[in-house]
Amino acid sequence: MVNSIGSPTHTSASHADHQPVRFVHTFSEAGRLLPSASQWSSIELDFHLAPQSNTTYDSLPSQYSKSFDYELVITDKKWFKSFVYVSIFMLLVILAIVLLVRFLPNKHKHHGNSKNITLALNQALMFFDAQKSGNYPSSSPVKFRGSSGLQDGNTSNPPADLKGGFYDSGKNIKFSFPIAYTITLLSWTVIEYHDKYGSIATDLAGEIVAALSAASIVFKEDTGYSIKLIQSAEKLFEVATKNNTGHHHGTYTEVEDCGGEARMYYNSSGYQDELIWGGTWLFFATGNTSYLGYATGNFNAAEGEETASEQGVFYWNNKLTANAVLLTKLRYFHDLGYPYEVGLGSSSKKIDLLICSYLSHKIYNRTPGGLILLRPDHGEPLQFAATTSFLGKLYSDYLELLGRSGVNYILGDNPMKMSYMVGFGNKYPTNVHHRAASIPWDDQHYSCPEGDRWLHSKDPNPNILYGAMVAGPDKFDNFLDDRDKPWFTEPTIASNAGLVAALVALHDPPYRSSDSNDNNLGIDLNGIFENLQLVPPAT
């Protein structure tokens, strides 16, 4: 490359006869000197931006755009260095802005997701307000409900006061079995993640938790009440585990006077898992190792009783999987050794394999939209997906202390693009199979036959049952929002308990200062072990 007009050397501004133009740039392709208002140092810069053109200055112009080689002559190094420094600085600023823009959306998305989880959790808890029986509080946010069942138990012989409690689902029926499961599961979430409850609609959460009055660990500060709960639980456990000729082990639904019509809805398939479940929780509540001995000693028997269709499933009829998670935590953080290690080892092995199986598409089928199908032939897939999500997240937190989800599907990330929690998101079920939600709130009393006209109506429910998780889609992700099809649209307290558990586990923990020694998972590592004074077994 040469300077224009055949000049073999750098063109310099020192030629006085070229005034008033003091500086020039040479463009080898242009074939002429161009005046410049810039002051450059006498350093030649050759910008090879493209292959050099063979076209000379007297050639015909091409119809296509050309690339040029630039040869710049500059006269002042000081100004040039300043220019280089400023350019580098500007490039760094631009790079920083690009990186900031790149990562800010992720952070925003994270907080948005956390905000959605908080809203979903508040609404899921609100559903339990809609299920209350007995004297209904006027302060409740669910305004289409009122007092009900005030004579419950009066007609029994002898009469009993059975007011209160929770209706199971859309029907005005109370079942002891799922209520006990619901109370235990929700209480477990308070024990493990009580810090997270601090950041939820505190009065509502407090009212709901106060109503779930079976977990003495939750109410440990109310010593008198906690003791009464433990004493009642111990007496009941003693009767349930008694082994003599006058006592028969079995399920409550085997006995007509006990199970009655409940077996049509909640038929128990076995009792061993409930007994070790009760023994495990009594151990955590009292520290009495005889209860732990019962739980670990009978764990294998409970496994043998577990039906093939329920393996790996945690719900009102099968507590074995959740029990294994509890015993695994004990083994990880408070291993007691002999004589419990066999049962504890079986539990942790079961959970290790189970969590891996949840992730495998070969073991459990999924809908095309990604919803895990733990019991594909039994309907209500969402309640099983919710408890699976809870156990998976809880176990993950355990492992993180040592060293995503079905919930997203439930909240709208599914092929139907519908939130299966009523009131959450822009699209959700409006024909929920629920008596109170489907009958207008007009201060009129309607008998059951009179209520059928709303059951079969095609109009949306007049009352929004906020927070209710419906039964869910079929195994092909199809969902019919039909009040007359409860296998799609009916919510239950047991299902919602699993949803609350999963939402609490996934909820962001409260803010902790950087110098805090607490973990940042929101899980209480030691709370469940507070009562473990290792009381020796009674002799």
Side-chain angles (χ1 to χ4, degrees):
M1 182 185 295
V2 295
N3 292 325
S4 59
I5 41 183
S7 174
T9 58
H10 301 299
T11 303
S12 174
S14 59
H15 301 286
D17 54 314
H18 284 253
Q19 298 295 343
V21 179
R22 296 181 56 210
F23 314 105
V24 294
H25 295 165
T26 65
F27 289 77
S28 57
E29 294 294 333
R32 62 183 182 274
L33 296 177
L34 298 179
S36 173
S38 301
Q39 183 178 5
W40 299 83
S41 65
S42 55
I43 298 178
E44 184 175 75
L45 300 179
D46 193 0
F47 295 89
H48 294 280
L49 302 179
Q52 294 186 20
S53 172
N54 292 324
T55 306
T56 58
Y57 67 92
D58 55 353
S59 300
L60 292 174
S62 170
Q63 60 177 323
Y64 304 105
S65 60
K66 294 182 179 179
S67 298
F68 295 99
D69 290 322
Y70 300 105
E71 184 179 289
L72 303 180
V73 178
I74 51 183
T75 60
D76 192 310
K77 289 184 178 181
K78 179 180 178 182
W79 283 96
F80 175 72
K81 290 180 179 178
S82 299
F83 168 79
V84 171
Y85 293 151
V86 170
S87 299
I88 293 174
F89 175 77
M90 292 300 296
L91 286 173
L92 292 175
V93 170
I94 292 172
L95 179 62
I97 293 174
V98 170
L99 292 175
L100 191 62
V101 171
R102 169 68 180 84
F103 289 107
L104 269 180
N106 290 337
K107 186 175 182 181
H108 177 73
K109 182 179 179 181
H110 172 73
H111 285 300
N113 183 59
S114 175
K115 185 177 181 180
N116 288 339
I117 290 291
T118 300
L119 175 61
L121 183 53
N122 277 311
Q123 290 186 357
L125 286 170
M126 189 184 296
F127 169 71
F128 289 93
D129 246 6
Q131 298 303 102
K132 287 180 179 177
S133 178
N135 290 302
Y136 203 76
S138 58
S139 59
S140 171
V142 182
K143 298 304 180 186
F144 60 83
R145 281 296 323 280
S147 298
S148 61
L150 299 182
Q151 307 301 316
D152 195 4
N154 286 4
T155 59
S156 63
N157 188 20
D161 184 3
L162 301 179
K163 293 193 302 292
F166 294 91
Y167 296 123
D168 173 67
S169 56
K171 308 172 184 68
N172 290 351
I173 306 176
K174 295 185 287 188
F175 294 103
S176 300
F177 201 34
I179 284 179
Y181 160 82
T182 298
I183 289 171
T184 306
L185 178 53
L186 290 179
S187 298
W188 187 8
T189 69
V190 176
I191 295 167
E192 298 280 19
Y193 293 112
H194 58 81
D195 273 354
K196 293 187 180 185
Y197 274 93
S199 60
I200 304 169
T202 304
D203 55 343
L204 176 61
E207 185 174 329
I208 296 295
V209 171
L212 306 174
S213 57
S216 64
I217 302 175
V218 174
F219 300 102
K220 60 188 177 184
E221 294 182 1
D222 188 344
T223 306
Y225 184 52
S226 180
I227 291 174
K228 287 182 179 179
L229 291 173
I230 292 174
Q231 289 174 341
S232 298
E234 287 185 309
K235 288 179 181 178
L236 185 58
F237 189 77
E238 181 183 0
V239 171
T241 57
K242 191 179 296 182
N243 189 14
N244 54 42
T245 55
H247 184 262
H248 171 68
H249 282 167
T251 65
Y252 79 101
T253 49
E254 290 178 352
V255 183
E256 176 65 31
D257 292 339
C258 185
E261 295 183 4
R263 69 187 68 177
M264 295 188 300
Y265 302 96
Y266 294 97
N267 187 35
S268 178
S269 61
Y271 62 88
Q272 290 282 6
D273 61 316
E274 276 80 31
L275 290 182
I276 65 168
W277 181 241
T280 300
W281 280 111
L282 269 176
F283 165 67
F284 285 128
T286 65
N288 189 329
T289 54
S290 65
Y291 297 127
L292 178 63
Y294 183 92
T296 55
N298 289 278
F299 190 85
N300 289 337
E303 278 191 300
E305 189 183 71
E306 188 179 31
T307 62
S309 65
E310 294 194 340
Q311 289 180 357
V313 181
F314 173 37
Y315 76 125
W316 57 265
N317 190 43
N318 187 10
K319 293 31 173 240
L320 189 64
T321 299
N323 209 103
V325 171
L326 278 173
L327 295 178
T328 298
K329 180 177 184 179
L330 180 64
R331 184 184 185 218
Y332 283 169
F333 301 107
H334 209 89
D335 193 353
L336 301 181
Y338 180 84
Y340 315 106
E341 71 273 10
V342 174
L344 295 178
S346 296
S347 297
S348 61
K349 182 179 180 181
K350 179 182 180 71
I351 289 303
D352 287 341
L353 293 174
L354 185 62
I355 296 299
C356 291
S357 73
Y358 287 158
L359 303 177
S360 171
H361 289 251
K362 296 181 180 179
I363 299 177
Y364 291 110
N365 292 328
R366 283 168 169 73
T367 67
L371 179 68
I372 190 171
L373 296 173
L374 294 168
R375 303 186 75 209
D377 300 325
H378 292 77
E380 298 186 77
L382 297 184
Q383 67 163 314
F384 309 129
T387 53
T388 298
S389 183
F390 165 61
L391 293 181
K393 180 59 169 65
L394 185 64
Y395 184 68
S396 172
D397 285 348
Y398 291 167
L399 294 181
E400 191 164 340
L401 285 173
L402 286 175
R404 168 175 170 196
S405 75
V407 167
N408 290 337
Y409 184 103
I410 293 170
L411 297 181
D413 188 10
N414 56 65
M416 298 293 291
K417 303 303 179 187
M418 166 184 280
S419 165
Y420 290 118
M421 189 174 79
V422 178
F424 185 83
N426 298 320
K427 182 183 178 184
Y428 50 82
T430 58
N431 295 281
V432 182
H433 184 89
H434 191 274
R435 182 169 295 170
S438 59
I439 298 177
W441 178 246
D442 55 7
D443 291 326
Q444 299 297 313
H445 175 77
Y446 297 100
S447 66
C448 288
E450 288 175 326
D452 284 347
R453 59 172 166 151
W454 286 289
L455 172 64
H456 303 298
S457 169
K458 298 301 180 183
D459 295 330
N461 286 0
N463 308 304
I464 300 178
L465 191 63
Y466 281 103
M469 183 179 74
V470 295
D474 63 18
K475 57 186 174 183
F476 301 108
D477 292 303
N478 299 314
F479 176 81
L480 295 179
D481 188 11
D482 190 333
R483 191 181 301 108
D484 209 14
K485 293 181 172 58
W487 53 91
F488 285 116
T489 58
E490 186 170 32
T492 68
I493 57 174
S495 295
N496 253 68
L499 177 62
V500 169
L503 291 171
V504 169
L506 291 168
H507 193 273
D508 280 346
Y511 172 77
R512 298 290 190 187
S513 60
S514 58
D515 59 349
S516 173
N517 292 324
D518 293 339
N519 68 77
N520 197 35
L521 301 175
I523 186 172
D524 188 337
L525 172 59
N526 297 310
I528 201 170
F529 302 132
E530 282 190 6
N531 295 311
L532 303 194
Q533 306 297 326
L534 299 186
V535 179
T539 56

